[in-house]
């Protein structure tokens, strides 16, 4: 007799094949059987009207600290997420040393916060993964962050690495991969990673390829130079032989409206040429980052303290303003900033949250640039923003690609986060499956579970199959929906009454259990992740 029998579920197994009705038995943390006669369980869960799917994989998560400080982690658990990929966009908290850790904490406080009282005693990837193993709500994989590695090897200098510095980066990367990281991330509009030339990325990706991992870049532009930036990442993968996963793949800003066909043609050609390629996206239009991220790259050289000094220097300020408002800074994807599209999501000034920079400036009777500068100085660069620049036709076209996966890119620490942090996965099921029919239910579940599990090379995860880990989600296809909005972004979804991680209920009949069955999933010497 199994521990749990899920009776009469519509099984959407993650392969993309047609759903089917079956009883599913769970025992010892794994799926004991899918269908078959005489299945019984000490507990029987009536799944009439519910779909049973593999737990969803968030391929682009910023829960690096949230998993440690918010044990319930309902933002993701309630969506049916059972695995997250951390260490994104080239900046995270391992590897670091005593000098770089404070710099990283300040640089990405706008993403993840900087929680007081946290024990920061780890320094390498192994130590961070061990900390996750102490008890987390969902499973987690980790990418070695290129910017953090570059910081250790050569600081915040805006120049190519010397051969010695490149060798130091290679060694740090190889160590992180050997300790269990699944690949390499890069943030090529964020300092210091944005200063790396293509050749440096190729050299590092060769190390990743040797270890069976993948490269997950936030590339150099999602705006004016987006197609060139995508082409560069494809070239990096082709030259290095490394698998490629394009982070939050989209085409933003008015300059890219209707250009998804060009990007899809580029990706399809790369696949025909042998590039092992996947991508992720979130089903929303606005993006989310920090206000400091919009600054030109030269203004960020030297690290946060140097950036703040430039924001107090009249000569530097004039140049920053010209790059932002006239030339189009590389931090703003080569597009001149439109202050009416920059909405404050997090600030030490609570009165600023929810307003655009243009609205703040109008209320204060000063130019928008000065309003933005005041926020940057007051928040010490940690101001969180939404950037209202998306194109719906591009969002829909990219999610149809067979190599597509789901990634929330959810920033959880801001006062008013992007609703994608709480709504990405049910929004796919509600809006883009049930309401619009952009994807079938089977296709969508494959994109959210089966395909990412294959990219990550997860051993025994990502499908509803006997012998696989019982990372499972039960949802009502007719009622599942996201309820998080831009005004009320922390609302939990509806229609997902059960979530199991390793067979342990994290959501049981719609109620959080507080269980912490997740752990760090580590890359093994054969390249698989378990």
């Amino acid at each position: 007799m199994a521990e749990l029998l899920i009776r009469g579920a519509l099984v959407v197994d993650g392969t993309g094949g047609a759903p089917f009705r079956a009883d599913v038995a769970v025992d010892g943390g794994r799926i004991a059987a899918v269908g078959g006669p005489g299945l019984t369980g000490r507990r029987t869960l009536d799944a009439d009207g519910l779909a049973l799917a593999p737990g969803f994989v968030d391929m682009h998560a910023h829960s690096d600290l949230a998993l440690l400080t918010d044990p319930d982690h309902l933002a993701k658990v309630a969506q049916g997420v059972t695995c997250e990929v951390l260490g994104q966009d080239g900046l995270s908290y391992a590897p670091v040393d005593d000098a770089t850790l404070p710099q990283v904490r300040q640089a990405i406080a706008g993403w993840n916060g900087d929680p007081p009282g946290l024990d920061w005693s780890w320094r390498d990837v192994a130590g961070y993964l061990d900390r996750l193993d102490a008890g987390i709500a969902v499973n987690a994989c980790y990418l070695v962050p290129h910017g953090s590695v570059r910081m250790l090897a050569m600081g915040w200098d805006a120049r190519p690495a010397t051969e010695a510095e490149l060798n130091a980066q290679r060694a740090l990367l190889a160590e992180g991969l050997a300790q269990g990281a699944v690949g390499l991330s890069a943030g090529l509009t964020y300092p210091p990673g944005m200063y790396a030339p293509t050749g440096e990325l190729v050299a590092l990706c060769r190390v990743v390829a040797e270890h069976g991992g993948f490269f997950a870049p936030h590339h150099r532009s999602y705006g004016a130079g987006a197609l060139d930036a995508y082409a560069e990442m494809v070239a990096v993968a082709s030259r290095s032989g490394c698998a490629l996963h394009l982070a939050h793949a989209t085409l933003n800003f008015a300059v890219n409206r209707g250009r998804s066909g060009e990007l899809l043609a580029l990706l399809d050609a790369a696949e025909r040429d042998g590039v092992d390629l996947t991508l992720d996206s979130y089903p929303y239009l606005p993006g989310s980052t920090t206000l400091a991220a919009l600054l030109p790259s030269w203004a960020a050289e030297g690290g946060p303290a140097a950036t703040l000094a430039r924001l107090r220097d009249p000569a530097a300020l004039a140049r920053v303003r010209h790059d932002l408002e006239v030339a189009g800074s590389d931090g703003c994807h080569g597009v001149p900033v439109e202050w009416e599209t920059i909405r404050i999501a997090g600030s030490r000034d609570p009165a600023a949250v929810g307003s655009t920079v243009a609205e703040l400036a109008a209320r204060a009777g000063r130019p928008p640039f000065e309003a933005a500068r005041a926020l940057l100085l007051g928040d010490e660069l940690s101001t969180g923003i939404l950037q209202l620049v998306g194109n719906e036709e591009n969002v829909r076209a990219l999610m149809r690609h067979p190599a597509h996966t789901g990634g929330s890119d959810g920033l959880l620490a801001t006062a008013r986060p992007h609703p994608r942090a709480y709504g990405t996965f049910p929004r796919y099921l509600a809006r883009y499956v049930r309401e619009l029919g952009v994807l079938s239910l089977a296709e969508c579940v494959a994109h959210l579970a089966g395909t990412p599990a294959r990219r990550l090379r997860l051993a025994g995860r990502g499908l509803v199959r006997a012998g696989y880990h019982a990372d499972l989600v039960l949802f009502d296809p007719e009622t599942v929906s996201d309820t998080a909005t831009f005004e009320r972004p922390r609302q939990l979804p509806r229609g997902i009454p059960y979530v199991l991680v390793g067979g342990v209920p994290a959501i049981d009949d719609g109620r959080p259990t507080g269980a912490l069955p997740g752990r760090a999933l580590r890359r093994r010497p054969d390249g698989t992740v378990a």
Side-chain angles (χ1 to χ4, degrees):
M1 179 180 291
E3 294 170 3
L4 174 67
L5 179 64
I6 302 170
R7 187 180 298 281
L10 178 68
V11 177
V12 192
D13 65 4
T15 65
F20 56 92
R21 295 280 175 189
D23 296 344
V24 175
V26 174
D27 196 70
R30 293 184 180 259
I31 300 169
V34 180
L39 295 180
T40 59
R42 285 188 288 277
R43 177 187 177 187
T44 298
L45 193 159
D46 182 1
D48 182 42
L50 299 178
L52 175 66
F56 304 139
V57 179
D58 190 339
M59 285 295 293
H60 194 99
H62 288 282
S63 303
D64 307 46
L65 301 184
L67 277 168
L68 301 177
T69 60
D70 178 22
D72 286 344
H73 202 43
L74 289 180
K76 297 300 179 65
V77 172
Q79 295 185 58
V81 171
T82 60
C83 182
E84 296 186 279
V85 184
L86 313 176
Q88 299 285 352
D89 295 329
L91 288 167
S92 191
Y93 308 97
V96 292
D97 61 16
D98 291 348
T100 62
L101 176 59
Q103 297 172 37
V104 172
R105 288 170 61 180
Q106 183 174 7
I108 55 176
W111 295 355
N112 301 326
D114 192 20
L118 183 65
D119 177 5
W120 295 93
S121 56
W122 74 82
R123 291 294 179 269
D124 60 5
V125 170
Y128 176 69
L129 297 182
D130 287 345
R131 181 65 59 84
L132 295 178
D133 277 342
I136 53 177
V138 302
N139 298 312
C141 300
Y142 188 75
L143 296 160
V144 177
H146 167 242
S148 301
V149 165
R150 198 173 210 264
M151 204 182 304
L152 281 168
M154 55 184 294
W156 294 75
D157 290 356
R159 59 174 176 80
T162 66
E163 188 62 27
E165 290 164 343
L166 183 55
N167 285 337
Q169 291 187 65
R170 287 189 184 105
L172 288 163
L173 173 58
E175 179 180 65
L177 293 165
Q179 291 174 351
V182 298
L184 173 71
S185 78
L188 301 177
T189 67
Y190 300 120
M194 67 196 308
Y195 306 132
T198 305
E200 179 177 317
L201 302 174
V202 172
L204 294 175
C205 283
R206 286 180 177 138
V207 177
V208 178
E210 290 169 2
H211 286 80
F214 65 93
F215 179 43
H218 166 124
H219 49 274
R220 296 191 199 274
S221 175
Y222 291 83
L227 290 171
D228 288 341
Y230 279 111
E232 181 193 13
M233 296 303 97
V234 168
V236 168
S238 181
R239 290 169 57 186
S240 65
C242 186
L244 176 65
H245 180 82
L246 296 166
H248 37 59
T250 189
L251 287 164
N252 283 334
F253 302 92
V255 295
N256 288 317
R257 185 168 288 113
R259 302 190 71 187
S260 59
E262 296 173 65
L263 175 55
L264 293 171
L266 171 67
L267 302 184
D268 290 342
E271 289 189 310
R272 288 194 298 271
D273 290 341
V275 174
D276 178 3
L277 182 150
T278 49
L279 59 139
D280 68 65
S281 74
Y282 47 83
Y284 298 85
L285 302 189
S288 180
T289 185
T290 61
L291 187 58
L294 307 185
L295 296 172
S297 58
W298 64 264
E301 184 178 6
T307 303
L308 289 167
R310 291 185 184 102
L311 291 173
R312 296 185 177 96
D313 176 1
L317 275 178
R319 185 180 169 196
V320 170
R321 183 171 184 174
H322 179 270
D323 283 1
L324 276 173
E325 296 185 339
V326 179
S329 87
D330 47 3
C332 195
H333 309 278
V335 177
V337 68
E338 297 173 323
W339 295 114
E340 64 273 17
T341 70
I342 308 301
R343 182 180 297 165
I344 306 307
S347 172
R348 294 176 185 175
D349 177 7
V353 174
S355 296
T356 67
V357 171
E359 290 168 342
L360 293 174
R363 290 203 294 266
R366 57 180 170 178
F369 176 77
E370 287 301 323
R373 173 176 174 264
L375 284 167
L376 288 167
L377 291 172
D379 292 334
E380 295 184 292
L381 307 181
S382 68
T383 314
I385 64 168
L386 303 182
Q387 196 166 12
L388 313 177
V389 294
N391 302 146
E392 176 69 20
E393 63 270 32
N394 291 342
V395 169
R396 295 189 193 187
L398 287 165
M399 73 172 64
R400 292 189 183 101
H401 195 279
H404 170 264
T405 68
S408 72
D409 197 13
L411 305 180
L412 297 165
T414 55
R416 191 180 292 183
H418 194 304
R420 67 194 186 193
Y422 286 74
T424 286
F425 294 86
R427 184 172 175 82
Y428 270 116
L429 295 166
R431 178 163 176 76
Y432 292 95
V433 173
R434 186 175 66 238
E435 297 173 10
L436 298 176
V438 175
L439 297 171
S440 72
L441 181 59
E443 287 171 332
C444 187
V445 169
H447 286 207
L448 303 184
T451 301
R454 288 196 300 276
R455 163 52 69 224
L456 292 165
R457 301 183 68 183
L458 298 182
R461 299 180 195 270
L463 301 176
V464 180
R465 181 170 292 175
Y468 274 50
H469 293 272
D471 298 340
L472 299 169
V473 55
L474 280 153
F475 61 91
D476 183 343
E478 299 302 319
T479 64
V480 61
S481 61
D482 56 303
T483 69
T485 65
F486 287 98
E487 292 71 31
R488 300 181 64 192
R490 296 185 187 276
Q491 297 184 111
L492 299 180
R494 298 190 187 100
I496 305 179
Y498 299 96
V499 181
L500 280 68
V501 180
V504 177
I507 302 290
D508 195 342
D509 197 18
R511 293 184 294 271
T513 66
L516 300 176
R519 60 184 180 84
L521 303 181
R522 292 166 168 84
R523 193 201 61 79
R524 301 185 292 193
D526 66 357
T528 60
V529 174

